[in-house]
Amino acid sequence: MILTVASFKGGVGKSTTAVHLAAYFSTKARTVPVDGDPNRSATSWAHKERLPFEVVGEHQAALYARRCEHLIIDTKARPESEDLHALAIGCHLLVLPCTPDPLSLEALMLTIIALKRLGSERFRILLTIVPPRPIPEGENARKAIMDAGLPIFEGEIRRLIAFQRAVLEGVTVDRVKDDRAGFGWQDYAMIGKEIEHLNGETSKRPRASEKPLR
Ligand code: ADP
C-alpha cells in the first residue's frame, strides 16, 4: 500500500502523521517512510536511529518499494491543486492532516474544488493537534468539514506535549515517558485501522482508471 501525507499549511502535524503511520504499519509488515518534504523533518527525526525503521529520500524510494509492503510518503507542504490530483492518483490513499483552527480550515476550504474532484475514496482529512474538550474547536472543525461534503477520518489526533518530546528524543510517541503518551499512540493506531479497512474496501472494487497499485 502506498500512503501519501500532504497538507495545505505547515505545522499541522504532517511529518508527525507520516512517522506514526509508518510506525503503526511497520508493526504489521515491512514499511518504509519516504521523506519528500524539503524540510526533511522525518529524516532529522530518524537521525538518532531510535525509530523502528529507516527513513529514505524520494530518490531512493523506487529501490525500497520493491522490498517492502507499505510506503508512507511525506510530501512538501502547500501543494498546488494540480499537485494534489497527481499525488492522489499516485497512491492508495492521500491523508490530509488539518488542525482545527480557522487558518488551517480556510486553507483546506480554498482547495475544496480540487479535493472534491479526487473522489472520496482517494483521500481523507485527519484532524490533528485537537485540543481537549470542552474546547469546541475539534467538534466545530469536524462539522465544517462534513458540511462541506469532504471525507474525514472518524478518529482524530489529540494535542499532547508528548508528540513534541517524541521529535526531540527521536522516537515515536509511545516511547516517550509521559503518562498521556499512550493516548497519542492509540490515536494513530485508530487511524491505521481505519486505513486498513478503507484499503480492504477499495481493493475489492478497483475502477478501470484507478486500479490499486499492488
Ligand atoms: P508539519 O510537518 O505539518 O510541519 P510537524 O509534524 O512537523 O508538522 O509538527 C509541527 C509541530 O507540532 C511539531 O513541533 C510537532 O511536535 C507538533 N505536533 C505534531 N502533532 C502534535 C500533537 N498531536 N500534539 C501536540 N503537538 C504536535
Side-chain angles (χ1 to χ4, degrees):
M1 178 175 59
I2 301 177
L3 278 183
T4 298
V5 188
S7 66
F8 309 103
K9 197 176 155 290
V12 298
K14 178 177 59 63
S15 301
T16 304
T17 297
V19 165
H20 284 85
L21 288 180
Y24 173 79
F25 284 105
S26 72
T27 65
K28 311 275 173 170
R30 191 162 147 71
T31 301
V32 173
V34 178
D35 193 352
D37 185 344
N39 291 333
R40 297 276 174 261
S41 311
T43 304
S44 51
W45 199 326
H47 268 160
K48 292 202 167 89
E49 296 185 0
R50 298 181 68 198
L51 290 177
F53 40 67
E54 219 180 318
V55 174
V56 308
E58 278 172 295
H59 302 304
Q60 297 147 299
L63 190 64
Y64 280 80
R66 297 177 64 85
R67 298 188 227 139
C68 71
E69 191 72 17
H70 304 308
L71 275 186
I72 317 285
I73 308 174
D74 187 10
T75 61
K76 77 171 165 66
R78 301 179 203 87
E80 301 293 327
S81 298
E82 306 83 68
D83 295 342
L84 259 188
H85 193 257
L87 286 174
I89 59 172
C91 66
H92 294 96
L93 187 71
L94 180 64
V95 177
L96 299 167
C98 177
T99 48
D101 59 273
L103 278 181
S104 296
L105 285 170
E106 193 183 282
L108 177 72
M109 295 304 170
L110 281 175
T111 38
I112 199 164
I113 297 165
L115 285 173
K116 281 197 163 161
R117 267 202 306 145
L118 297 178
S120 62
E121 285 168 16
R122 310 297 299 186
F123 75 102
R124 279 280 178 288
I125 294 161
L126 172 63
L127 278 181
T128 50
I129 323 189
V130 179
R133 289 189 177 82
I135 302 174
E137 263 84 349
E139 239 165 89
N140 293 347
R142 178 174 294 276
K143 186 171 180 310
I145 292 166
M146 289 175 74
D147 287 349
L150 295 170
I152 181 167
F153 283 104
E154 281 175 31
E156 60 192 33
I157 312 301
R158 68 193 86 190
R159 184 177 73 196
L160 290 175
I161 200 81
F163 279 108
Q164 291 162 26
R165 290 186 43 200
V167 189
L168 294 175
E169 293 172 23
V171 296
T172 45
V173 72
D174 52 309
R175 294 186 58 198
V176 171
K177 287 191 179 58
D178 177 301
D179 287 350
R180 298 182 52 75
F183 293 120
W185 177 255
Q186 275 173 27
D187 287 350
Y188 274 111
M190 284 284 290
I191 302 302
K193 291 194 179 89
E194 276 192 59
I195 292 172
E196 285 170 326
H197 181 72
L198 279 170
N199 191 44
E201 291 297 306
T202 41
S203 42
K204 271 186 228 152
R205 43 186 163 77
R207 285 172 285 173
S209 57
E210 293 177 352
K211 285 182 192 149
L213 302 179
R214 225 189 307 217

